[in-house]
Amino acid sequence: MSRRRNIVAGNWKMNKDYEEGRSLARDIVAKLQPSDTLVILGAPYIHLKGVSHIISDINNLHLSAQNCHQEEGGAYTGEITAEMLSSVGCEYVILGHSERREYFGEDDTLIAAKIKRAQAAGLTPIFCCGEKLPSREAGEQEAVVGQQVKEALFGFSAEEVSKMVIAYEPVWAIGTGVTASPAQAQEMHAYIRGLLREQFGEEVADGMSILYGGSVKPANAEELFSQADVDGGLVGGASLKAEDFLAIIASM
Ligand code: PGA
């Protein structure tokens, strides 16, 4: 079973060309302070190999993709397998991000299939969940997130779930500049950990790193990360500037 780690993961989304991506990775490598915090760079597919060369000597710096296909291979034009990701030094994959759910119609059944494939290829899935604004306003956030967690993860064994990372990302906070309050984040993270405890037991629940995502920036990271059940962040916009991303890591 895995030990709970503090993690700061960047999600570059569909930003930066190849040279810009390499230059961002180099800037991070140059100024990253040694620490126990696991730092993950979620780069576009095309950057993965180049970035993997740049970060390979740094102990706590790892590489993530932002998606993978659920099949092992075959006639799926334009898609990428989990095995391909492993083969270029990628160790993590973000799955179930709200933008994948919203723009590419991904549901929790498909996300579960992707998680299974990713683990079979030796990748650690970063499973994303989170409610939209109307659900939050109706006070239904726990019902929505609970359903996502159950549908995507409850078909797995405790052993399999212990090798995942979860990111709670309220959709209304992503890219909006509006951040969940530390209390709102803590409440949901504790709820998710409670679900894991009921289904998979204390050891899995305790060992799970649950990251908060949604407009994390240097100014709010420390307070968010200081919450008991917030084990780090999944950072979009602020991960595109080395200085901001490093400041967020430092606040861990
Ligand atoms: P944001 O994105 O930090 O730009 O809000 C977070 C995410 O989508 O992972």
Side-chain angles (χ1 to χ4, degrees), residues 1 17 23 34 65 70 87 92 117 126 165 175 181 216:
M1 298 274 169
D17 70 18
S23 140
Q70 67 276 17
S87 76
Y92 294 81
R117 194 70 250 140
I126 302 173
V165 172
S181 70
V216 175

Side-chain angles (χ1 to χ4, degrees), residues 18 24 39 43 50 66 77-78 84 98 124-125 129 136 153 159 187:
Y18 187 67
L24 174 58
V39 179
Q66 301 168 15
T77 301
M84 292 174 195
S98 65
T124 299
C129 55
R136 169 63 65 170
L153 305 187
E159 171 75 21
E187 194 177 35

